[in-house]
Amino acid sequence: MHAPRFTGAARALPALAFLLLSCVADSPGPVGPEPEPQGVPVAVSAVSGAGQTGATEGPLGGALVVRVTDGGGRGVRGVAVAWTVSPDGGTLSAASTPTDSAGEARTNWTLGAAAGTHTVTASVSGLPAAVFTATAVPPQPAKLEAAGGDGQSAAAGAPLADSLAVKVSYADGRPAPGVAVAWAATGGGGAVSAAGTATGADGVARVRWTLGAAAGENTAQASVAGLAGSPVTFRATARAGGASALSRVGGDGQSATVGTALPNALAVRVADAGGNPVAGAGVTWMVTAGGGSVAPAIATTDAEGVARAAWTLGTTAGANAVTAAAAGATAGFAATGTPGPAARVERAGGDGQSALAGSALPAPLVARVADAHGNAVEGATVGWA
């Protein structure tokens, strides 16, 4: 019996089988279908930003967003989207924007000055456009704040150097023109130049303020009903004006022994035309009768407008006078000098007479009692021997 003989092809079959089995063993497993590439844009649709309401000439709160998709509903990257706003509808941050990896493109819309409904169209060449609408409404003033003029000072009864100013703004911070602002002087007297003024293009309203006649703090207010920050209060300091009046406030009508100081100082008050005390004014003191002296010769008024001086009377008994002068005005003081204690006795009559023995002299003997300065002393007891 003969052994079977294999041809060359038969001998190659086992090797081929082995090779096939090896490939199957090394295979990572079944492979799914490859991702289908993005297709051709077929639709443009609004994603967000439609139907907003905003203030005229103000930006809308949300961006306008569209999505460009292919036939499978997938976003298409890199597609140019053209944005067009209706006449008087405002402005856009970009007139053309490309889609991102999600197929979305966006722009921001600032409304125009015209109130009403406006549109923006987002379009891709050859496709139906997506349309956005927004409603523009006139903005409402929201805030009132000081814009200048606070904390000034001037002479009482005088106008301040700078105007008072306030600013009215919308909620988004833009200035609000044409808003009526009410003004009033509320403390210290004085007056504002107008009871009401309107804001300009910058949102600012102004008024002039004349202070009251009394020195001290003055206040004024600006108000707009319903606005945050209203009313706004302004403060100013009214200073005393120039010295124009002088009056006695103490020391008049005193009396003292001649040659001595009066017990109370002389005092005058310097005031302006409105009666406010003037501090730092110089007052000149002059003795006008009776001799004596006053010190200091020039005194300066204090915060209350008062200046003081000490008066030492002259040595002659009787009327003494001092005059104070300031700012062209004068005030007079009177005092009485009284004799001092008896210091000497002088012959005043009856000396050197003659008469018969035992008879009275024809004229009385007269003695005069005087103080150290020669002033007659009344009521002194004189002994005769």
Side-chain angles (χ1 to χ4, degrees):
M1 185 173 180
H2 297 284
R5 300 183 67 179
F6 298 94
T7 65
R11 288 195 298 266
L13 287 175
L16 179 59
F18 176 78
L19 179 61
L20 290 173
L21 291 173
S22 298
C23 290
V24 172
D26 293 339
S27 174
V31 178
E34 292 184 5
E36 185 178 346
Q38 289 181 333
V40 177
V42 298
V44 181
S45 58
V47 175
S48 63
Q52 298 183 71
T53 297
T56 55
E57 299 184 283
L60 291 177
L64 309 185
V65 182
V66 294
R67 187 166 186 257
V68 178
T69 55
D70 62 14
R74 296 170 298 177
V76 182
R77 181 190 184 103
V79 178
V81 177
W83 303 89
T84 306
V85 64
S86 60
D88 299 324
T91 59
L92 301 170
S93 61
S96 177
T97 56
T99 57
D100 58 19
S101 60
E104 294 182 349
R106 66 197 64 230
T107 192
N108 293 298
W109 186 2
T110 297
L111 297 174
T117 301
H118 304 282
T119 61
V120 166
T121 302
S123 58
V124 173
S125 179
L127 302 181
V131 178
F132 294 82
T133 62
T135 302
V137 296
Q140 295 299 312
K143 181 180 180 181
L144 180 69
E145 59 187 327
D150 191 32
Q152 299 182 74
S153 65
L160 292 175
D162 298 327
S163 298
L164 306 184
V166 291
K167 182 178 181 181
V168 180
S169 304
Y170 296 127
D172 59 8
R174 290 181 295 139
V179 178
V181 177
W183 299 91
T186 53
V192 290
S193 59
T197 59
T199 57
D202 57 358
V204 177
R206 294 176 173 84
V207 76
R208 303 292 298 183
W209 185 13
T210 298
L211 300 179
E217 184 179 79
N218 284 227
T219 58
Q221 286 187 340
S223 59
V224 178
L227 298 194
S230 178
V232 172
T233 298
F234 294 85
R235 289 177 171 80
T237 301
R239 305 186 307 268
S244 62
L246 183 70
S247 59
R248 291 188 304 264
V249 293
D252 188 36
Q254 299 180 78
S255 64
T257 302
V258 293
T260 64
L262 292 174
N264 300 318
L266 308 183
V268 292
R269 181 177 182 268
V270 180
D272 65 8
N276 301 295
V278 178
V283 177
T284 301
W285 302 89
M286 299 166 289
V287 175
T288 54
S293 62
V294 62
I298 299 177
T300 301
T301 58
D302 59 19
E304 301 300 323
V306 176
R308 294 175 173 82
W311 186 7
T312 298
L313 300 179
T315 57
T316 301
N320 284 238
V322 163
T323 298
T330 60
F333 292 82
T336 302
T338 59
R344 62 175 182 262
V345 179
E346 304 167 343
R347 289 190 300 270
D351 188 32
Q353 299 181 72
S354 62
L356 295 173
S359 61
L361 292 173
L365 305 181
V366 179
R368 180 177 182 271
V369 180
D371 64 10
H373 301 290
N375 298 293
V377 176
E378 182 180 359
T381 301
V382 178
W384 302 86

